[in-house]
Amino acid sequence: MVYSVCQKYHLRNRLNVSFPRSTGNTPCFYNHFVTDREEPFDRPGTPDDPKGHYIFDIPDPLWNFGSGLSYTQFKYLNCSLKDSVLTQTGTVRVEIEVENAGTRDGKEVVQLYVRDKFSSVATPIQQLKAFKKEFIKAGKRSKVILEVPVSKLGLYNDRMQYVVEPGEFEIQIGSASDNIHFKKNVRVGKE
């Protein structure tokens, strides 16, 4: 019954949290700060040389935010930006071409993450800013358009004021936070 319902509606669920490998890996976030991971002791160790807070395992999640399974496979073929230089009132517009390379119709969740490359305060390595679930027939291609207003690229500065700082932002397009297919850069100018 469950299989036939899933098959009929071509369900594709995505994780809205990251699942840790063990309790020693908690908390586990996809949008962690650079200083939260990739430390010299964040690698597998032994009881004699534990490497900090992870003894037998790596700190990466077992299943990452945005991950999911499907009854078909998708290929990300092309990605283009409408503009690579934007104003404070502009909009990031990305067009992605996705192909259903499997034998069944299905839905793909195309995800857009952003990373502020240079900021006055620490920012996460990636933040989900847009996504779209697109139904694609077997063997067919679809163009998916994702838009993010530049105002959504802001941060809270050291005075706790929400501002969009001018500079370079990395746009990441993928099917999960750890499965990024394209990276593009945009530059936001001063007002």
Side-chain angles (χ1 to χ4, degrees), residues 138-175:
K140 300 294 183 186
R141 295 180 181 184
S142 181
K143 288 189 178 178
V144 178
I145 296 173
L146 296 174
E147 293 183 336
V148 178
V150 170
S151 62
K152 299 288 185 189
L153 305 181
L155 54 79
Y156 285 94
N157 64 16
D158 57 355
R159 296 185 190 130
M160 292 307 293
Q161 299 167 323
Y162 186 81
V163 296
V164 177
E165 296 182 339
E168 199 169 335
F169 294 83
E170 182 180 80
I171 306 300
Q172 306 169 4
I173 303 295
S175 52

Side-chain angles (χ1 to χ4, degrees), residues 6-23:
C6 290
Q7 186 177 13
K8 180 178 178 184
Y9 294 105
H10 313 287
L11 296 179
R12 182 171 176 99
N13 296 319
R14 294 304 178 114
L15 296 178
N16 59 0
V17 296
S18 295
F19 277 77
R21 293 177 183 274
S22 67
T23 55

Side-chain angles (χ1 to χ4, degrees), residues 112-131:
L112 185 151
Y113 296 87
V114 174
R115 179 178 188 171
D116 190 341
K117 294 181 86 172
F118 306 100
S119 57
S120 62
V121 296
T123 56
I125 61 162
Q126 61 184 171
Q127 292 179 294
L128 180 68
K129 294 294 182 179
F131 67 91

Side-chain angles (χ1 to χ4, degrees), residues 77-95:
L77 303 174
N78 193 15
C79 175
S80 61
L81 292 169
K82 181 181 177 191
D83 294 307
S84 60
V85 179
L86 303 161
T87 64
Q88 298 273 333
T89 57
T91 299
V92 177
R93 182 182 162 103
V94 185
E95 187 175 292

